[in-house]
Amino acid sequence: MKHISIGGLDVSRIGLGAMSMSGYYNIGGGSDAESIRTIHRALDLGVTHLDTAEIYGPFTNEELVGRAITDRRDRVVLATKFGFVSHSGGGPGVIDSRPANIRIAIEGSLKRLGTDYIDLYYQHRVDPNTPIEDTVGALAEFVAEGKVRHIGLSEASPATIRRAHAVYPVTALQTEYSLWTRDPEAELLPLLRELGIGFVPYSPLGHGFLTGDIRSPEQLSDDDWRKTNPRFTGENLQRNLLIVDEVQAVAREAGATPAQIALAWLLAQGDDIAPIPGTKRVARVEENTAADGIELSAEHIERLNNLTRAAGERHNEASMAIIDR
């Protein structure tokens, strides 16, 4: 597996997102044992970059990742996120990046992950009620204490990124980016490159849509949150299937899977981009990591660049409302 630098932090070019290992998506059976096997297989394949968050579960995903890396900590660039749990009474799902709340969050994450430091610590969502300068100031204290090595932001606007970076260097931004979410190309990517900040795309496979396996909402369980995602419903779904059809056509020509094509396209966008496709299956992590060895032709990149833009917002109205824009 090739490595790149994101904001000065060395990571494998393809990472592993652990969110789906703790009940998200509800994509069928599975177990903690299977998830741990998946993490171990990823590490054996050269993946070093593991991503989790305190809200996943909540809390149980960090515990799972902690168990998986207990004897492998030195092989892992460990990333987790805070700010989507208020520890002063609001609880999970309440945005809170006040310094006092982050202090509680970091201690909990360290304990659950079984480590004394976090390589990359992200603010999960920007807190409109707490100045970003106060939040980043608290994170800088954690760096000085040795509890955090690098700091990151997730779903932050260009203005917020600039303000944060002026207080303490931001290593990475995590935001959705894929063949069907091209929004970051307009403002975010140029700004990140200006400031020397790495980019970590989440949902690089379009919440599984770009794999080509989802053709109908009936394939999703009733409690799968994607059933409320505008891109998976009604006419939007039918229009978006045309995107998948073209990705599948390129995959057939290139002798790869649609997921590998989607990831290879992302990797071709720059050597400062480190996607974190999520899975809890060994077979999927093997498929995804193999994308590191795929070199798309100029013709294929051009075709993928010119895909029809996805129909529908990338999240439902409530989730879009808490994204810093």
Side-chain angles (χ1 to χ4, degrees), residues 15 25 34 67 75 97 126 143 172 241 262 271 277 288 321 323:
Y25 293 106
E34 182 177 11
R67 292 199 301 276
R75 297 168 57 186
S97 284
V126 175
V143 174
L241 285 172
D271 59 4
N288 293 342
I323 288 176

Side-chain angles (χ1 to χ4, degrees), residues 3-11 171 196-199 271-274:
H3 282 222
I4 63 168
S5 174
I6 52 170
L9 176 62
D10 181 88
V11 296
T171 293
I197 298 171
F199 190 27
D271 59 4
D272 52 358
I273 296 175

Side-chain angles (χ1 to χ4, degrees), residues 14 22 61 67 81 123 133 157 161 176 188 191 209 211-212 241 251 259 270 293 296-297 302 305 317 325:
I14 296 175
S22 297
N61 195 249
R67 292 199 301 276
K81 299 178 281 292
Q123 181 189 43
E133 291 82 359
S157 68
I161 295 167
E176 186 174 355
L188 283 176
L191 174 64
F209 196 79
T211 66
L241 285 172
L296 294 173
S297 69
E302 182 69 12
N305 283 344
E317 186 175 349
R325 289 181 284 177

